[in-house]
Each structure stands twice: as C-alpha cells, then as structure tokens.
Amino acid sequence: MTANVGTIDRILRALLGIALLWLAFFSGLPAVEAGALKWIAAAVGVVMLGVAAVRVCPLYSIAGIRTCRA
C-alpha cells in the first residue's frame, strides 16, 4: 500500500493514540474505568498508533486523501 499519512499527521495521531491509551488505563477517572468507554478509548488509541507507525490510513485511501508529499 502507498503511504498517505504525512509527518505532521503521524505526530498528531501518535500523540492522540498515547493520550487515549493513558486515559483508558492510567487516568483513574471513574467515567472511563466503568465500562465500554475504557475499551473504546483503548481500541481507538491502538488504531491511531498503528496508522502512525505504518503511514497508511484506510479511510484516507477510500476518500482519496493524502497528507504526505511523495
């Protein structure tokens, strides 16, 4: 697959992924600890980190969006 995620986009996705994983597992907030919200935040965080690592976003591919130069 061709890379379609640029550098700034990768950094923002990585930061968002780390923040969501921290929120899910280390924040201690009662709203997140209680149930499904914890696992949704964790799943989205893992997906964001994965997209940042491989530089390919499936939704960008479907929509024809590219944030990288090459």
Side-chain angles (χ1 to χ4, degrees):
M1 297 189 88
T2 304
N4 61 5
V5 177
T7 304
I8 295 173
D9 198 359
R10 285 179 74 191
I11 292 168
L12 293 175
R13 286 174 186 266
L15 290 174
L16 179 62
I18 291 168
L20 286 171
L21 287 172
W22 177 83
L23 180 69
F25 296 113
F26 301 113
S27 69
L29 295 173
V32 179
E33 291 290 327
L37 188 57
K38 175 179 184 173
W39 298 109
I40 292 169
V44 172
V46 168
V47 169
M48 289 290 136
L49 286 175
V51 168
V54 298
R55 297 186 63 167
V56 176
C57 178
L59 294 177
Y60 277 12
S61 296
I62 292 169
I65 300 170
R66 291 185 60 178
T67 60
C68 63
R69 291 185 181 168

